[in-house]
Amino acid sequence: MRQPYKNRYIMKQAILYVRVSTDEQADKGFSLRDQEQKLKNYCKLNNYDIIGVYREDYSAKTFNRPEFKKLMQYAKKNATTIDEILFIKWDRFSRNTTESYNVIKTFNDLGIIVNAIEQPLDLSIPEQGIMLAVYLSIPEVENQRRSLNVISGMRRAFKEGRYVASPPKGYDMGRDNHKKPILKPNEDAKHIQKAFELIASKHYNQKEVLDILRKNGFKTSKSAFARIIRNSLYCGDIYIKAFKDEQEMIVEGIHEPIVSKALFQEVQSIIDGGKKQFKLKHKKINPIFPLKDFVLCPNCHNPLLASSSKGRSKYYDYYHCVKPCNTRYKAQDVELWFQDFLQGISLNKNAQTLLFKMIKDKFKLQSKTQALGPNHYKKLSDINERLEKLQDLFIDGKIDSNDYQKAKIRYETTFNELKDKEKQQTNQNEILNTYRNGLNKLESIDNLFINSDIDRKRKLIGSIFPKKFQFEKNEVRTADVNPILLKITSVNKGLQGNKKRDKSKKNDLSHLVLKAGIEPALRRTGF
């Protein structure tokens, strides 16, 4: 591995990475030009030689980005000529916490340091690793909150009978008298109506009906056609999937149906012989084996099976593999290890207070940079005044109805966009509450697991282990545990008593990722 630069007088070789997604506004300081200029100024002041600039117009939800792939490929081929990769803030680098740690470690293994000039971190100091977790997790939580808000808004519209997702074949998305989205039948509607009528006649099967429609100009695939004749949207009903504590439901839509409910139900009856259209299938999981599908066989690396074996006087529970592996563990031993592991990642009071303070301070700093200034409220006031003047002009007959509606829509659209910015400010409080609740649950996560039902236990396991874990040579081995939980473990230990540690000469994130065979709260199985 290439040795890092020896002193500050040697020019350091840096690659600049700038990114802005298509849904981000340039006036927030995220524009490519603004980022690049700030990075160049920083390099000039700090004696960096810029050897490359990568400009990305892509979302940071994953690292599957065209320019970042080129950057990674270049770095692997030219690692000896690169000292650092610089960007403005950590959310410009990524909004995916788990993937970020893996990518950063890849660069570190190449001898390349990654850092944000406005949120610089010295990761040779273990305590600063938790700040990295904060910087990376806050944008990810913001994305999740935004996604939940979108889902909530869509479900609210669905419950009101307004279909706001992508229109199915036979419909286009139009606008009603209030300029709100509503489905409107298009040219394909007549073909879909014909399809239901032909099937209801009982003279044609689905394939024959599809062939007839295709000859008349209807274009669709066989699988898509099968979905069309099952979609209750065509008879005016909107099917809403179950979500969290809400059960699935069907509501009356406000759009124009293409077929009648009677015709739709008749076709369903012909297709499946009277079975309910929205029958749900549930995969049953035995509560005795909450870790089933999560524990891997150390020999074949397939998920272990789970079953009970009858002894002389009682049944014994095991996680086991099939021949020729013959791997077998007592279910009691496996679950005892998992409970010990949960105790290891439980967040003690001191660490909980420290971490939440860091998160809160970060939000305070962020809210200052994104605060709505006087200009924002002046715009709102101006728009209200213009709407009043517009209404007066219309009442006085100085403008016609068409011009009035066009101007009114334009002003109201701008007004709603400004109000949305205010809502985004209030969302920060919701995100902070989400963090607080999550940290509180981590204080006794082992008890939470023990007292949860089987579904909640399995969700908890999946959130801790993105992949699977296994036993090997009487020890639990895994290389993929949620990195934030690992960092919490190290902070817990650090707060119990700080010890002097040797500081590496280069930034290294290897201590944030588990090495194979080294696990917290290790329990031997006794086999």
Side-chain angles (χ1 to χ4, degrees), residues 56-256:
E56 192 92 74
D57 182 6
Y58 221 74
S59 171
K61 290 181 180 179
T62 71
F63 282 96
N64 186 23
R65 312 171 217 153
E67 289 302 309
F68 192 85
K69 286 181 177 180
K70 294 177 183 178
L71 189 158
M72 179 66 79
Q73 186 178 13
Y74 179 84
K76 288 179 178 179
K77 291 181 179 180
N78 303 275
T80 57
T81 65
I82 307 169
D83 290 305
E84 296 189 28
I85 294 174
L86 300 174
F87 35 87
I88 293 292
K89 294 183 178 181
W90 286 99
D91 63 351
R92 299 300 90 201
F93 179 67
S94 175
R95 288 174 175 260
N96 185 309
T97 307
T98 303
E99 287 188 10
S100 295
Y101 280 101
N102 294 329
V103 172
I104 293 171
K105 185 177 184 297
T106 300
F107 281 123
N108 275 210
D109 289 343
L110 295 171
I112 301 172
I113 296 169
V114 294
N115 219 335
I117 65 170
E118 293 185 3
Q119 297 169 330
L121 294 173
D122 181 0
L123 294 172
S124 64
I125 302 173
E127 285 75 14
Q128 290 211 6
I130 199 166
M131 281 306 300
L132 176 64
V134 171
Y135 284 141
L136 292 174
S137 63
I138 285 180
E140 185 173 21
V141 172
E142 287 177 340
N143 275 348
Q144 292 171 356
R145 169 53 58 189
R146 192 178 297 112
S147 176
L148 286 175
N149 289 343
V150 171
I151 292 172
S152 176
M154 291 183 68
R155 289 183 67 84
R156 184 166 57 251
F158 287 158
K159 291 175 185 177
E160 294 173 356
R162 189 179 300 278
Y163 190 83
V164 291
S166 298
K169 205 167 186 66
Y171 283 108
D172 290 328
M173 189 61 75
R175 296 281 171 176
D176 61 13
N177 294 334
H178 302 287
K179 303 303 177 182
K180 291 185 177 182
I182 190 171
L183 293 178
K184 293 187 176 181
N186 58 24
E187 287 298 317
D188 286 329
K190 61 184 180 183
H191 297 297
I192 292 173
Q193 184 180 21
K194 186 68 174 178
F196 279 91
E197 292 172 351
L198 290 174
I199 294 175
S201 71
K202 299 182 181 179
H203 297 309
Y204 307 93
N205 59 34
Q206 291 184 42
K207 184 179 182 304
E208 291 169 339
V209 171
L210 181 57
D211 290 340
I212 292 172
L213 296 180
R214 283 174 171 171
K215 289 178 182 178
N216 291 327
F218 186 62
K219 297 180 180 179
T220 189
S221 65
K222 184 178 179 181
S223 59
F225 180 70
R227 290 193 295 271
I228 287 173
I229 58 178
R230 285 290 197 178
N231 194 342
S232 64
L233 200 67
Y234 295 112
C235 72
D237 287 339
I238 297 177
Y239 170 63
I240 305 176
K241 295 180 180 179
F243 181 71
K244 293 186 176 180
D245 297 332
E246 296 181 1
Q247 296 182 348
E248 62 179 1
M249 64 184 77
I250 299 175
V251 301
E252 185 80 21
I254 62 174
H255 61 277
E256 179 186 345

Side-chain angles (χ1 to χ4, degrees), residues 283 289-307 318-323 325-331 334 458 468-472 525 527:
K283 182 181 179 182
F289 303 107
L291 299 173
K292 186 177 182 294
D293 299 326
F294 289 101
V295 184
L296 298 179
C297 173
N299 298 319
C300 65
H301 302 291
N302 290 319
L304 292 180
L305 304 176
S307 62
Y318 295 96
Y319 291 95
H320 59 89
C321 196
V322 296
K323 292 183 179 181
C325 295
N326 293 325
T327 300
R328 187 175 71 163
Y329 303 119
K330 290 182 180 179
V334 174
R458 291 177 66 79
K468 314 292 181 183
F469 60 90
Q470 67 186 40
F471 289 90
E472 186 177 350
T525 63
F527 288 97

Side-chain angles (χ1 to χ4, degrees), residues 462-500:
S463 67
I464 296 172
F465 296 96
K467 294 184 181 177
K468 314 292 181 183
F469 60 90
Q470 67 186 40
F471 289 90
E472 186 177 350
K473 295 180 180 179
N474 299 334
E475 294 182 357
V476 176
R477 302 178 73 86
T478 175
D480 196 0
V481 175
N482 188 310
I484 293 182
L485 296 180
L486 286 181
K487 196 60 200 169
I488 287 172
T489 305
S490 67
V491 171
N492 279 338
K493 293 178 181 177
L495 290 173
Q496 291 169 1
N498 292 325
K499 297 181 180 179
K500 293 183 179 179

Side-chain angles (χ1 to χ4, degrees), residues 380-433:
L380 286 175
S381 178
D382 289 345
I383 291 174
N384 277 325
E385 290 180 6
R386 292 188 181 189
L387 283 170
E388 291 177 2
K389 290 179 180 178
L390 183 68
Q391 190 174 26
D392 291 338
L393 290 173
F394 178 64
I395 293 173
D396 294 339
K398 295 181 179 180
I399 57 173
D400 60 25
S401 176
N402 188 40
D403 290 338
Y404 170 73
Q405 288 295 336
K406 286 182 179 179
K408 183 173 179 287
I409 291 171
R410 186 173 72 252
Y411 288 140
E412 286 180 344
T413 300
T414 305
F415 184 85
N416 291 333
E417 289 176 353
L418 292 171
K419 296 300 288 185
D420 285 342
K421 288 186 178 181
E422 293 182 15
K423 290 180 181 179
Q424 291 174 7
Q425 293 285 310
T426 59
N427 283 344
Q428 289 189 356
N429 293 328
E430 296 180 10
I431 295 171
L432 272 177
N433 287 332

Side-chain angles (χ1 to χ4, degrees), residues 353-369:
T353 302
L354 173 64
L355 183 54
F356 186 73
K357 185 178 184 304
M358 289 179 174
I359 294 171
K360 195 172 182 180
D361 289 345
K362 165 65 179 172
F363 267 99
K364 283 183 179 178
L365 180 63
Q366 183 171 308
S367 62
K368 286 180 181 179
T369 59

